[in-house]
């Protein structure tokens, strides 16, 4: 059994004539936190979306926990997986979005139980118990009956994290989870993520929070114009960048 | 002059500005409405020239018999006529089935329109174009005449002559079925546009989130998109139901004795046309009123999660108004409480 959770080799993706990912290599080990940084439009979201097959990559190899995303290798051929299998794969990968995307018509508790009940087939009582445990973990026990509109951005994002965790994912993807938040609310979300990292969750985090990356990440990848321009340990990548592009990027975000 | 309020100034009474123009306008309108109601419920000399004479102190005096301008007594006597009752029941049934067909088929057409398959979008576009582009009255007549165009309907090999099921169109498409089919298919064209507006109003992020937790496209549609689209779909659909209730009167033309057909039939034999039309109006109005109230509560149900606080129901608002009035009264007359 390998200890690699995500493996990307030469992943490409184009939207029409626009080549967004131009052969991307990346490796994430189990239990590690990887931060993905880079300028806007460099393809960070696109890459995350390829990992859980919200987008289909054009070429290259993309494996999660040893399994090819969206395809199955048999007799030296790649067979496209059925919609059902792809849904099953996705259920094992949690995703947290910049704009929270909580289900607006469901209250907090229902947001966290719906996936367990409808996708995993957990019974209602067990799903609710797990939801309450997760709400306690993100510090929102008292909000289970609230609707998303009644919560602050930080609270919504914490519910979104609980919703993803309810599926018991082996990998969590965060796409700029704090970029839509008021500055004073960023901390509470980063705290939850820090906790999660400490508990051994494998995470890929797209972020502009360099402090968080330095403190929590095991490795940092700098994505620019569809390729990984530089990668390594946070101290090295963020403290002593070699590429001039990364240097100019860091001078802008810091 | 100091800008902060002194002790005494802090308890000063606020006198709201009187809007005299608004008040005058309201009064004029009120008088107009009162006059209109008065004429509707007034009596006039008998239109058949009937007179009543009495003899008082050996002198005979005659005066015309007075009767309701709108013949309300006739309206009352036909309101619960068995033929009217049957017609009303049939109107409600036609409305129900036509809307059921319209909503189900309309939803399918809306989803086809939004699919990525060009053939599907093309077909649904054509459907809406055709059924919205021709008068519903003609469509009703067309379905009534369907047995002339297709005497038998068969299920079997496409384009072939072998079939295992034959249905005689005349027996299948009774006037009632023809009417319901025509109204339902026509409604589907309108409802598909309402449904499409509702579906595209749901944020794409909702679909992504549902997909990311492993929901299938069908689960996403049923559990995430549709419930949120309902908020946009319900108000115009309420309109459609109310409109349908009245449009069903067109099927009277192909011999279905629904509400309008029933009052037509009665007035054809007794010539009391106006009171009988009023009978129909009373029932149509009662039904649309009930539907509007129902719509309010359905809208409220689907609005949950879209507003921070729910708007009050009319009953809650009335209670609130009465409460506020009470407080105002108590405040104005502090002597009472002593
Ligand atoms: N669905 C799409 N269709 C066309 N272009 C897209 C689509 N999604 C993203 N893009 C383009 O791909 C590029 C990379 O986008 P994205 O991955 O969102 O960048 P990032 O998250 O790094 O800011 C951008 O130029 C964006 O406009
Ligand atoms: Mg992005």
């Amino acid at each position: 059994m390998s200890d690699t959770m995500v493996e990307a080799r030469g992943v490409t993706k184009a939207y029409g004539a626009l080549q967004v990912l131009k052969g991307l290599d990346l490796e994430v080990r189990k239990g590690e936190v990887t931060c993905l940084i880079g300028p806007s439009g460099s393809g960070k979201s696109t890459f995350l979306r390829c990992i859980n097959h919200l987008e289909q990559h054009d070429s290259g190899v993309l494996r999660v926990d040893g399994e090819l995303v969206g395809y199955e290798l048999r007799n030296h051929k790649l067979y496209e997986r059925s919609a059902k299998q792809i849904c099953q794969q996705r259920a094992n990968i949690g995703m947290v979005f910049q704009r929270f995307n909580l289900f607006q018509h469901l209250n907090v508790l229902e947001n966290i139980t719906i996936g367990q009940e409808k996708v995993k087939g957990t019974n209602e009582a067990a799903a609710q118990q797990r939801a309450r445990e997760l709400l306690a973990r993100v510090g929102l026990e008292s909000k289970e009956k609230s609707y998303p509109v009644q919560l602050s951005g930080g609270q919504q994002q914490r519910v979104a994290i609980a919703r993803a965790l309810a599926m018991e994912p082996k990998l969590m993807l965060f796409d700029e989870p704090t970029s839509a938040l008021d500055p004073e609310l960023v901390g509470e979300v980063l705290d939850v993520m820090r906790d999660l990292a400490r508990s051994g969750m494998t995470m890929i985090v797209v972020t502009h929070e360099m402090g968080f990356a330095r403190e929590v990440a095991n490795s940092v990848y700098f994505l620019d114009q569809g390729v990984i321009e530089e990668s390594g340990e946070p101290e090295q990548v963020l403290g002593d960048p070699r590429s001039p592009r990364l240097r100019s990027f860091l001078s802008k975000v810091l | 002059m100091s800008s902060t309020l002194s002790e005494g100034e802090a308890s000063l009474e606020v006198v709201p500005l009187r809007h005299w123009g608004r008040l005058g306008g309201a009064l004029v309108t009120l008088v107009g409405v009162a006059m209109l109601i008065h004429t509707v419920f007034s009596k006039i000399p008998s239109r058949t020239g009937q007179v009543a004479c009495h003899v008082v102190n050996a002198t005979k005096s005659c005066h015309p018999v007075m009767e309701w301008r709108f013949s309300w007594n006739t309206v009352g006597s036909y309101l619960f006529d068995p033929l009217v009752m049957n017609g009303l029941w049939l109107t409600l049934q036609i409305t129900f089935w036509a809307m059921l067909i319209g909503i189900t088929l309309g939803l399918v057409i809306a989803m086809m329109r939004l699919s990525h398959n060009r053939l599907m979008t093309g077909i649904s576009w054509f459907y809406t174009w055709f059924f919205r582009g021709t008068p519903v009255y003609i469509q009703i007549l067309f379905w009534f005449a369907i047995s002339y165009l297709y005497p038998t309907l068969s299920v079997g090999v496409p384009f072939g002559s072998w079939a295992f099921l034959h249905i005689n169109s005349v027996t299948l498409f009774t006037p009632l079925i023809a009417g319901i089919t025509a109204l339902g298919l026509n409604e589907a064209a309108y409802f598909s546009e309402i449904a499409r507006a509702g579906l595209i109003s749901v944020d794409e992020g909702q679909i992504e989130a549902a997909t990311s937790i492993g929901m299938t496209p069908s689960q996403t549609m049923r559990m995430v998109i549709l419930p949120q689209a309902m908020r946009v779909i319900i108000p115009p659909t309420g309109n459609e139901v109310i409109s349908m209730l009245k449009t069903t009167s067109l099927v009277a033309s192909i011999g279905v004795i629904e509400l309008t057909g029933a009052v037509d039939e009665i007035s054809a034999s007794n010539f009391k046309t106006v009171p009988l039309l009023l009978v129909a109006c009373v029932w149509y109005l009662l039904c649309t009123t009930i539907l509007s109230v129902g719509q309010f509560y359905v809208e409220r149900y689907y609005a949950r999660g879209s507003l921070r606080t729910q708007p009050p129901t009319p009953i809650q608002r009335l209670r609130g108004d009465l409460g506020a009035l009470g407080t105002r009264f108590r405040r104005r007359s502090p002597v009472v409480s002593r």
Side-chain angles (χ1 to χ4, degrees), chain B residues 134-166:
Chain B
T134 52
V136 65
Y137 180 62
I138 293 178
Q139 290 175 29
I140 290 170
L141 297 180
F142 173 83
W143 283 101
F144 185 55
I146 193 83
S147 57
Y148 168 76
L149 297 168
Y150 297 94
T152 55
L153 300 173
S154 312
V155 184
V157 183
F159 304 110
S161 55
W162 181 83
F164 57 86
L165 185 63
H166 292 281

Side-chain angles (χ1 to χ4, degrees), chain A residues 49 52 54 87 90-91 93 95 97 99 101-105 114-115 118-119 147 149-151 163 167, chain B residues 203-206 208-217 219 223-225 227-228 304-309:
Chain A
R49 293 159 57 80
N52 72 353
L54 281 176
C87 287
R90 279 200 198 103
I93 303 172
M95 184 146 186
F97 303 88
R99 283 170 49 237
N101 297 349
L102 289 180
F103 302 130
Q104 299 293 312
H105 62 303
I114 187 171
K118 307 299 178 187
V119 178
Y147 282 93
V149 278
Q150 297 167 322
L151 303 178
R163 173 176 69 180
M167 303 303 289
Chain B
D203 181 41
E204 216 176 341
Q206 298 286 309
E208 280 188 351
T211 310
S212 81
I213 58 171
M215 284 191 175
T216 62
Q219 284 177 322
M223 297 165 188
V224 176
I225 305 175
Q228 295 187 60
R304 75 201 191 287
S306 64
L307 298 169
R308 286 185 162 225
T309 49

Side-chain angles (χ1 to χ4, degrees), chain A residues 2 13 19 22 24 62 80 89 96 103 136 142 145 154 172 191 195 198 223 230 238 241:
Chain A
S2 127
K13 169 79 190 168
Q19 191 71 38
K22 304 170 186 162
L24 200 139
L62 192 48
E80 213 173 307
Q89 276 192 323
V96 175
F103 302 130
S142 59
K145 287 275 176 283
M172 285 284 284
D191 283 344
D195 249 21
R198 230 174 269 138
L223 181 60
E230 192 166 337
L238 302 175

Side-chain angles (χ1 to χ4, degrees), chain A residues 15 18 20 38-47 55 175-176 223:
Chain A
Y15 291 113
L18 180 71
V20 180
S40 175
S42 58
K44 306 181 297 293
S45 298
T46 304
F47 179 59
E55 295 285 355
D175 192 357
E176 302 198 33
L223 181 60

Side-chain angles (χ1 to χ4, degrees), chain B residues 204-258:
Chain B
E204 216 176 341
Q206 298 286 309
I207 302 165
E208 280 188 351
T211 310
S212 81
I213 58 171
M215 284 191 175
T216 62
S218 129
Q219 284 177 322
T220 304
M221 177 55 78
R222 281 180 292 123
M223 297 165 188
V224 176
I225 305 175
L226 271 181
Q228 295 187 60
M230 287 304 258
R231 200 167 57 83
V232 173
I233 291 176
I234 294 290
T237 304
N239 238 359
E240 290 296 302
V241 178
I242 286 170
S243 167
M244 177 64 79
L245 184 83
K246 295 167 300 169
T247 310
T248 54
S249 61
L250 290 179
V251 302
S253 64
I254 55 171
V256 179
I257 312 296
E258 42 64 73

Side-chain angles (χ1 to χ4, degrees), chain A residues 9-15 17-25 41-44 46-47 50 57-60 223-229 245:
Chain A
R9 298 261 169 271
V11 171
T12 69
K13 169 79 190 168
Y15 291 113
L18 180 71
Q19 191 71 38
V20 180
L21 303 178
K22 304 170 186 162
L24 200 139
D25 297 327
S42 58
K44 306 181 297 293
T46 304
F47 179 59
C50 285
H57 59 284
D58 299 334
S59 68
L223 181 60
D224 189 33
Q225 297 179 359
V227 289
I228 298 295
E229 180 86 4
R245 287 237 184 90

